[in-house]
Amino acid sequence: MTDESGDPARRDEPTPGPSGVDPAGERSFSAPRSAGSDDPPSEAFPADAFPTDAPSTGDGPPSTGASPDLPPTDDPDRRRAAADLRRSDERVRHSDPAVRARLRRRRRRTNRIYAGLGIALVVALLGYIALYFLPVFSVREVSVEGIRTIPAEVVTERAAVAPGTPLLQVDTHSVARRVAGIPRVDQVTVRRDYPSGLLIELVERTALVTVEVDGEQHLVDAQGIDFGPGEVPPGTPLLTVGDAAREHLPEVVRDLATVFGEVRDTAGQEIAAVEVGTRASIVLTLADGRVVEWGAAGRDHEKAVALQMVLEQPGQTWNVSNPALPTSR
């Protein structure tokens, strides 16, 4: 058929709207026909009739298709789906014979480790029980080291450890406290000496000066501790204390320890006696008989240097209480 202009009649087709949208509001997917083609036009379908799982490209949003690793989400359904997917992957992976063999080897190795640890624990427990209760590891000998003036029998008697006592049942701290109660003992260490010994190591106090108490010479160490009468070591000075200084005897003796060290090391002099009327009045008598009025403790090194210089001059009594201006008389 021809129309009035003589052109072949054309089939009525919907005119597409802007951006490929027909007047009915649906997107058209019909392809254009070439000129002179007699093929019927393709049918138009809505855009959401064919969902796609293809991944997005460029900087656009990620694809909405399924992925083995689901992103973190607060949706409980999606979390369950992700967990199911992971379990499915584990089942597939464990179905591999090589994977199963590797897992078996790992389990065997772990079991061997646990078994070894268990055996070691049992052996250690049995050994501890044997050491604690069996008489094989019991005290048969008590040794004392470090004694100079204290008889070993006094130390072992004060230790009070019964022979045959299992070593692990010996309370070494209690033994050390008992031995430290001996006045002449300064430090004490007690340790077990396997298989059947107990070793007591001690350090005796060293007398810095001697002090007369009730007609007896008592030994006093550098800390001012009076550890009783005893044999006076050679070269120990005799300390005479006035009434004002007697109540401060420990502090006085600690001051003298510093003074003696400076006189001996710096001035090279030995001290035969010392008199302390007050803490501010220390008078030393040297081994050669000369007298040094030291004054109060303090600036001891300067006083010792001044003493070293003035002792080269003639004189019997020297006052170095002011080390910048020593005097003699």
Side-chain angles (χ1 to χ4, degrees):
M1 295 177 62
T2 60
D3 57 9
E4 293 179 354
S5 62
D7 293 332
R10 291 181 297 177
R11 182 180 300 174
D12 293 338
E13 295 177 354
T15 303
S19 302
V21 179
D22 62 4
E26 295 182 348
R27 185 180 298 273
S28 173
F29 286 87
S30 59
R33 289 182 299 168
S34 60
S37 174
D38 293 332
D39 295 334
S42 60
E43 185 178 357
F45 295 92
D48 56 355
F50 298 93
T52 176
D53 292 337
S56 62
T57 59
D59 298 331
S63 171
T64 58
S67 173
D69 297 327
L70 296 179
T73 178
D74 293 333
D75 187 355
D77 294 334
R78 297 191 64 181
R79 287 201 299 269
R80 284 194 294 271
D84 293 340
L85 182 58
R86 286 193 295 269
R87 285 194 293 270
S88 177
D89 291 343
E90 287 293 326
R91 285 194 295 271
V92 172
R93 189 170 65 87
H94 291 173
S95 64
D96 187 350
V99 173
R100 290 201 302 271
R102 186 166 60 251
L103 291 176
R104 284 195 298 270
R105 289 193 298 271
R106 184 181 302 173
R107 282 194 295 269
R108 286 195 295 268
R109 184 168 59 250
T110 303
N111 292 337
R112 285 195 296 269
I113 293 174
Y114 284 137
L117 291 176
I119 294 173
L121 181 61
V122 171
V123 170
L125 181 60
L126 293 177
Y128 180 82
I129 294 174
L131 288 174
Y132 194 86
F133 291 104
L134 296 181
V136 177
F137 301 98
S138 59
V139 178
R140 294 184 177 87
E141 180 183 7
V142 178
S143 302
V144 182
E145 295 182 358
I147 55 176
R148 292 184 287 110
T149 61
I150 305 174
E153 295 78 9
V154 174
V155 177
T156 54
E157 182 180 354
R158 183 63 67 92
V161 178
T165 304
L167 283 174
L168 284 180
Q169 296 185 24
V170 176
D171 188 348
T172 55
H173 296 286
S174 297
V175 174
R177 283 195 298 269
R178 290 194 292 269
V179 174
I182 301 175
R184 282 180 172 268
V185 173
D186 185 18
Q187 302 176 16
V188 59
T189 303
V190 180
R191 60 185 179 89
R192 302 175 182 90
D193 188 14
Y194 290 99
S196 59
L198 190 69
L199 178 62
I200 301 176
E201 299 173 315
L202 55 84
V203 177
E204 292 190 24
R205 298 186 187 276
T206 300
L208 179 71
V209 294
T210 63
V211 179
E212 184 174 343
V213 178
D214 298 331
E216 290 184 318
Q217 296 296 323
H218 282 227
L219 305 177
V220 182
D221 68 0
Q223 298 299 318
I225 298 176
D226 181 352
F227 53 94
E231 183 180 354
V232 179
T236 304
L238 173 63
L239 171 62
T240 303
V241 186
D243 294 337
R246 185 173 295 277
E247 60 184 11
H248 303 290
L249 182 61
E251 292 83 356
V252 169
V253 175
R254 285 194 288 269
D255 292 341
L256 290 178
T258 305
V259 173
F260 288 2
E262 291 292 344
V263 172
R264 288 166 177 164
D265 297 339
T266 305
Q269 297 293 320
E270 291 297 327
I271 302 170
V274 57
E275 181 179 351
V276 181
T278 64
R279 295 192 64 183
S281 176
I282 299 174
V283 180
L284 309 176
T285 301
L286 303 182
D288 59 7
R290 285 184 286 185
V291 178
V292 180
E293 296 175 350
W294 195 267
R299 303 177 66 185
D300 297 319
H301 181 70
E302 298 177 40
K303 294 177 182 179
V305 173
L307 177 62
Q308 183 182 20
M309 293 187 297
V310 300
L311 287 180
E312 299 175 357
Q313 307 297 326
Q316 183 65 25
T317 302
W318 291 94
N319 187 316
V320 295
S321 58
N322 182 2
L325 188 62
T327 60
S328 67
R329 68 174 190 272

